[in-house]
Amino acid sequence: MAEQPSLPSMRVDGQVAVVTGGGSGLGRAMAKGLSEAGAAVAVADLPKMLPGAEETAQAIRAAGGTAYAVPLNVKEQASIDAMVAAVLKESGRIDILVNNAGVNIPREALDVSEQDWDNVVDVNLKGVFFTSQAVGRVMVKQKSGRIVNIASQNGLVGYYKRAAYCSSKAGVVNLTRVLALEWAPHGINVNAIGPTFIVTPLTQSTFDDENMRADLLKRIPLGRVGQPEDVVGACVFLCSPAASLITGHTLMVDGGWTIL
Ligand SMILES: NC(=O)c1ccc[n+]([C@@H]2O[C@H](COP(=O)([O-])OP(=O)(O)OC[C@H]3O[C@@H](n4cnc5c(N)ncnc54)[C@H](O)[C@@H]3O)[C@@H](O)[C@H]2O)c1
């Protein structure tokens, strides 16, 4: 009899994935990676970013995959419910949720307004929770699912001009543990990824600031910032059979920043 292979699959063939904020940056790269690993992908993004989401979906379809764009504002419960309904109508199930939508308003702590704070925390933390809750209800019925929350190294360490951002991402790291605990009996794994600085529209203003660019490079032992593709392997791995006994974990993709 042939031996069972020792390496579990890192593919997600036939599964249905939702990637929030999939019209740009990390979300686009992860949507494409999940498609390359075999999933059909719903690329969800703000109505004003739908052309970006459609561009992601088109790139996936051009490469032979299955993908479509769906409008979503993670700040609004009704929009989350409408996104879930649209994906169920189109694909019949949701196996993978990547909570990637996120914002930052870099500002000194003394200058942060209540509106800045609410904007960042509502998208990055409240949005992750209520999107997980809505999709979690579907996954509980299915008795299986994978959720990957895009936290940040800034969920573990502090950094300048990021009072609300670091607070929201630290919240995501611990929310990941709570959801992992509560939903483990339902066959749902919940993990997070903690990227370092990655070159995307979100970080443009930081990279434009010469002092900040020099400062952050000094803090990355591997000596470089990331590209969106640097996060794809961690995401696909956490969604795949190879990670079936991993839950509640935050996998750092930070070039070593948080070692120090
Ligand atoms: N770029 C980095 O250095 C870095 C590092 C660590 C973590 N992250 C996290 O990765 C995620 C993606 O960031 P990115 O760098 O690709 O940024 P990005 O600005 O390129 O993409 C963010 C996406 O989220 C969408 N979005 C924003 N608000 C939304 C809302 N209310 N509802 C739905 N979608 C919304 C945007 O339209 C956009 O498409 C974020 O959660 C971010 O905090 C980024």
Side-chain angles (χ1 to χ4, degrees), residues 134-176:
V135 174
R137 287 180 178 136
V138 175
M139 290 177 168
V140 165
K141 279 199 203 127
Q142 291 171 183
K143 300 189 173 56
S144 71
R146 297 290 174 95
I147 298 177
V148 176
N149 297 325
I150 307 307
S152 169
Q153 70 183 20
N154 291 326
L156 300 196
V157 297
Y159 198 61
Y160 306 103
K161 300 189 182 177
R162 279 161 175 77
Y165 187 80
C166 289
S167 305
S168 69
K169 295 298 186 178
V172 170
V173 168
N174 219 19
L175 174 61
T176 299

